[in-house]
Amino acid sequence: MTASLLYPVNNGFRRDIKLDGLWKFKFDPKSEGEEFNWQDGLKDTLDMPVPSSFNDFFTKKDEREYTGDFWYETDFFVPEEWENRRVSLRFDAATHRATVYVNGNKIISHEGGFLPFNADLKQAVSFGKNNKVVVKINNELSRTTLPCGDTVTLKNGKKMVRPFFDFYNYSGLNRSVHLIALPDESVEDYSVAYELDGEDAIVRYNVMTNGIHDVSVALYDEDGAKVAGATGRAGGLRVKKAHLWNVLDAYLYQLRIEIVDNDKLLDAYHEEIGIRVVEIKGTEILINQKPVYLKGFGRHEDSDFAGRGFNLNAEKRDFELMKWIGANSFRTSHYPYDEAVYRMADREGFLIIDEVPAVGFKMAAASFLGGLNQSFFDGEWINDLQVNHLAQIKELIRRDKNHASVIAWSLMNEPDTVTDSSVPYFKAVFDATVGLDPQNRPRTFALSEDDTITTSKVLEFPDLYLLNRYPGWYHTWGYEISDGEQNLRDEMDQWKEEGINKPIVFSEFGADTEPGLHKLPSIMWSEEYQVECVQMFNRVFDSYEFIKGEQIWNFADFQTVEGNMRVNGNKKGVFTRQRQPKALAFYLKKRWSDLPLDYKG
Ligand code: BDP
């Protein structure tokens, strides 16, 4: 049995020791590591910080761009008193796939670079001694991986990725590694779902353990007072006059789950939960039965030096900036973020559209290879891709289902939706994910500019529409932007005429902007143009009742692949990569602070 993936904690029953720090590191360009027994221990290594992406530390391009296998190693001590515990290593993210060896023994392989997995150590570990973990990671992309891309070999023999997306393919142990000890009988997982009943709330809970003993659950308020309790693995807790979790006004109860053997406690897991309900009704997004208008961003996990390595300091700054500017939401474009992000959002009252790394499902994204007349979903890769896609949706929902901040699941970004073959793929994905979420949150995906009410064949599937639109930038740009506005209005008029009965959230719009570039009258790339472009979108948003949110692309400038459309990265940030404001930030702060939460409600 794989050990529990619950967020690791320390308490009287559980131990969580982070193995972050400098690990040994080594590239394996010939994929010969196993043949030469690297799993037993690495020689001639470099030091590499964990968590981090390895790429940007290096001064040589071959190393930054390295594609293929690479290895990490560290030692860890396992106390003798853990002999009867369930001991495991939890990798919060190894990008994009990993095989873990402990003391030379292969323990587990995991596919997908943005979700956690656990290596159960029971058989492999020595107690009261130092142990060695060696991890082989690979960062290649293919049409069956999430995200999608190709890996090519250059004439000089070096491998290179061609992502079907623009964010840099930052790789490595991007998040923390934990050494975990759980009691022999322990809580494996739990879920909560909510119903409102007048002033009261019912918390429906479900607890999974690996044993037979009784489970008791209790709920405590923020003052530490017990407000409800029950026994049994599943049931309901009535919370009288419940204090609901609200947008930017979070309230968290503590759920205490315990396993009891008569008078003896075997395990305890405490977690903060926010009581709130999410619904889509017609064109309304309702939180606690009240309409909300989303203001915020598509973001990336991306910062200087460590790339996509989780950076708590950058994250803290991002939350302060999001509060300052008057945002209330973001999409975890284009992959699940570190779990700390969701916990911060739970505490601050931010709303999250949680996305799987399903990016690049479109021939246009791979257009340099030709095949534009083919549907991405006709490719011979599609069955394998779907297996991976479904597995990652399941892992995402399993990981994030209890976060109050998560209000919707985004199952793809800008897939092909205009060809007939997209329909069975969407049907299969939406059918297979029905009922996975105990809270039944809305499921959606982001529609590219090709996908409109007239062209898209899969509009029946999402519960709300996310639109990525770029008039003013990728077409009808510069002086032509007035045509861009008119075309966008024409498109919105079409949705209206068709009697749209689901909300639209603009999940991407914006303009690349070089910070410090000023020009009057404006010119593309100037700070003035970025403001004008966003003002144009805002005029359109304000004209249609069914547009229920604006999440600008992007929160901050971020690193991309090299290309003739990018000057050291994507510069659509409202903030620079160093998290300082462009002129647009002050405009948005004014607009978002003035817009009520229930705007258009
Ligand atoms: C959209 C993608 C996003 C890109 C953006 C852009 O969803 O990942 O960064 O375009 O080009 O199509 O700025």
Side-chain angles (χ1 to χ4, degrees):
M1 175 192 293
T2 59
S4 166
L5 277 167
L6 281 178
Y7 194 75
V9 296
N10 277 297
N11 63 26
F13 303 90
R14 294 170 167 246
R15 285 289 168 272
D16 166 29
I17 298 172
K18 272 194 184 172
L19 301 185
D20 297 354
L22 279 184
W23 287 44
K24 292 179 180 170
F25 179 87
K26 189 170 173 147
F27 290 124
D28 183 7
K30 294 187 189 148
S31 294
E32 60 189 12
E34 271 106 352
E35 195 186 327
F36 290 101
N37 298 319
W38 291 16
Q39 60 274 25
D40 295 336
L42 303 176
K43 294 196 188 92
D44 306 321
T45 54
L46 307 166
D47 284 343
M48 185 58 69
V50 172
S52 77
S53 309
F54 66 74
N55 313 78
D56 283 352
F57 297 123
F58 290 111
T59 53
K60 290 191 188 128
K61 203 156 176 172
D62 283 345
E63 292 170 348
R64 186 186 69 200
E65 300 294 319
Y66 178 83
T67 303
D69 293 342
F70 49 97
W71 294 67
Y72 285 83
E73 174 189 320
T74 199
D75 286 349
F76 59 98
F77 181 80
V78 181
E80 207 161 338
E81 59 271 22
W82 286 10
E83 197 125 24
N84 294 317
R85 307 278 203 100
R86 302 170 69 196
V87 181
S88 65
L89 288 174
R90 184 195 210 255
F91 292 82
D92 288 349
T95 313
H96 294 287
R97 59 197 58 81
T99 301
V100 178
Y101 297 90
V102 172
N103 301 330
N105 302 304
K106 184 169 166 179
I107 309 289
I108 193 171
S109 293
H110 180 260
E111 173 68 33
F114 305 94
L115 287 161
F117 62 95
N118 233 312
D120 188 344
L121 300 188
K122 192 87 187 171
Q123 307 305 325
V125 90
S126 301
F127 295 91
K129 293 203 174 114
N130 261 333
N131 292 266
K132 188 184 294 304
V133 55
V134 180
V135 189
K136 180 176 88 167
I137 304 188
N138 174 282
N139 64 351
E140 290 173 30
L141 300 173
S142 79
R143 295 174 187 211
T144 64
T145 63
L146 274 72
C148 277
D150 284 327
T151 301
V152 297
T153 304
L154 301 174
K155 289 185 177 153
N156 64 9
K158 302 254 164 39
K159 279 192 211 163
M160 174 182 131
V161 280
R162 285 199 175 135
F164 300 170
F165 50 90
D166 78 337
F167 52 95
Y168 193 81
N169 189 39
Y170 280 121
S171 313
L173 286 175
N174 275 332
R175 297 181 192 152
S176 291
V177 181
H178 309 250
L179 173 63
I180 294 177
L182 304 182
D184 198 33
E185 186 166 337
S186 43
V187 177
E188 291 277 295
D189 199 5
Y190 78 94
S191 65
V192 279
Y194 309 108
E195 277 164 40
L196 303 186
D197 181 17
E199 290 196 313
D200 298 353
I202 322 279
V203 180
R204 301 239 172 260
Y205 72 89
N206 231 300
V207 177
M208 269 176 59
T209 75
N210 65 334
I212 49 153
H213 288 99
D214 281 348
V215 168
S216 86
V217 298
L219 207 59
Y220 290 76
D221 67 16
E222 283 189 357
D223 297 325
K226 184 171 173 178
V227 297
T231 50
R233 275 152 216 274
L237 301 168
R238 175 170 286 271
V239 185
K240 293 242 175 247
K241 292 204 165 141
H243 193 147
L244 300 183
W245 185 97
N246 264 306
V247 188
L248 300 182
D249 184 19
Y251 188 93
L252 297 174
Y253 288 90
Q254 194 183 54
L255 179 71
R256 298 189 189 171
I257 304 172
E258 291 171 348
I259 303 182
V260 269
D261 179 6
N262 295 315
D263 291 341
K264 209 173 139 219
L265 276 190
L266 302 180
D267 185 25
Y269 189 79
H270 300 172
E271 181 76 291
E272 290 182 322
I273 58 164
I275 301 178
R276 55 100 194 86
V277 289
V278 182
E279 284 160 282
I280 304 278
K281 260 200 191 144
T283 62
E284 301 281 10
I285 302 170
L286 302 173
I287 307 286
N288 300 332
Q289 301 161 346
K290 296 197 189 87
V292 299
Y293 183 83
L294 304 185
K295 301 173 271 186
F297 303 95
R299 298 176 61 204
H300 266 298
E301 291 189 304
D302 172 279
S303 62
D304 282 333
F305 309 120
R308 191 147 294 117
F310 180 62
N311 182 335
L312 188 58
N313 301 313
E315 200 58 48
K316 170 69 183 159
R317 173 74 177 171
D318 289 1
F319 269 87
E320 289 308 312
L321 291 175
M322 288 195 290
K323 284 191 279 179
W324 170 83
I325 205 169
N328 61 19
S329 62
F330 57 91
R331 175 168 62 123
T332 67
S333 42
H334 293 306
Y335 39 81
Y337 291 1
D338 190 283
E339 286 150 277
V341 178
Y342 302 77
R343 296 166 77 84
M344 288 163 91
D346 288 345
R347 279 198 288 273
E348 300 280 8
F350 275 89
L351 306 175
I352 295 179
I353 298 175
D354 203 3
E355 191 157 273
V356 286
V359 208
F361 290 16
K362 194 183 176 80
M363 284 324 282
S367 58
F368 42 82
L369 294 155
L372 269 175
N373 51 356
Q374 188 194 357
S375 165
F376 186 81
F377 296 109
D378 279 338
E380 77 282 356
W381 53 81
I382 216 63
N383 291 339
D384 291 345
L385 178 69
Q386 188 170 311
V387 169
N388 273 338
H389 190 185
L390 288 176
Q392 296 201 30
I393 295 172
K394 281 181 191 149
E395 286 179 39
L396 173 78
I397 295 178
R398 175 174 180 187
R399 191 192 74 162
D400 293 343
K401 61 186 177 298
N402 294 323
H403 289 291
S405 52
V406 173
I407 58 157
W409 309 106
S410 170
L411 305 185
M412 279 174 263
N413 180 65
E414 297 194 345
D416 172 10
T417 81
V418 301
T419 56
D420 288 336
S421 343
S422 56
V423 181
Y425 190 89
F426 273 77
K427 187 164 175 9
V429 167
F430 275 80
D431 281 355
T433 53
V434 118
L436 280 185
D437 172 14
Q439 295 183 13
N440 254 324
R441 272 161 280 211
R443 290 168 300 150
T444 184
F445 58 91
L447 290 152
S448 83
E449 304 219 68
D450 300 333
D451 311 288
T452 66
I453 185 124
T454 46
T455 60
S456 178
K457 301 208 159 95
V458 301
L459 295 179
E460 73 201 77
F461 295 109
D463 298 310
L464 76 154
Y465 300 118
L466 301 181
L467 298 193
N468 296 355
R469 293 293 181 267
Y470 284 102
W473 193 255
Y474 287 123
H475 53 86
T476 50
W477 59 65
Y479 189 48
E480 268 185 81
I481 194 171
S482 52
D483 276 5
E485 174 167 356
Q486 191 50 55
N487 297 344
L488 189 59
R489 285 180 186 278
D490 292 347
E491 190 196 343
M492 290 305 111
D493 288 341
Q494 276 183 329
W495 286 87
K496 195 173 169 180
E497 279 153 25
E498 297 290 331
I500 177 172
N501 63 352
K502 298 174 190 175
I504 285 185
V505 170
F506 272 72
S507 43
E508 287 190 29
F509 58 99
D512 280 84
T513 303
E514 183 57 29
L517 180 67
H518 293 284
K519 190 98 172 171
L520 184 69
S522 75
I523 190 166
M524 287 174 80
W525 294 92
S526 69
E527 297 206 22
E528 288 73 19
Y529 185 79
Q530 190 182 28
V531 174
E532 287 166 17
C533 182
V534 170
Q535 283 172 333
M536 178 277 279
F537 275 98
N538 287 162
R539 280 194 298 277
V540 178
F541 300 164
D542 292 344
S543 311
Y544 297 88
E545 163 288 317
F546 52 82
I547 299 176
K548 288 296 167 37
E550 48 191 92
Q551 295 190 327
I552 193 169
W553 192 254
N554 187 282
F555 172 75
D557 294 346
F558 59 92
Q559 195 55 247
T560 60
V561 287
E562 294 178 84
N564 48 16
M565 290 207 301
R566 301 284 184 253
V567 187
N568 186 25
N570 189 314
K571 295 289 173 70
K572 294 192 187 70
V574 175
F575 298 94
T576 63
R577 199 183 195 210
Q578 290 69 38
R579 275 52 176 189
Q580 296 303 333
K582 298 183 189 171
L584 177 61
F586 299 94
Y587 160 75
L588 281 176
K589 177 174 170 54
K590 168 95 183 66
R591 172 177 167 81
W592 287 349
S593 309
D594 289 349
L595 287 186
L597 177 62
D598 63 352
Y599 182 46
K600 299 187 205 169

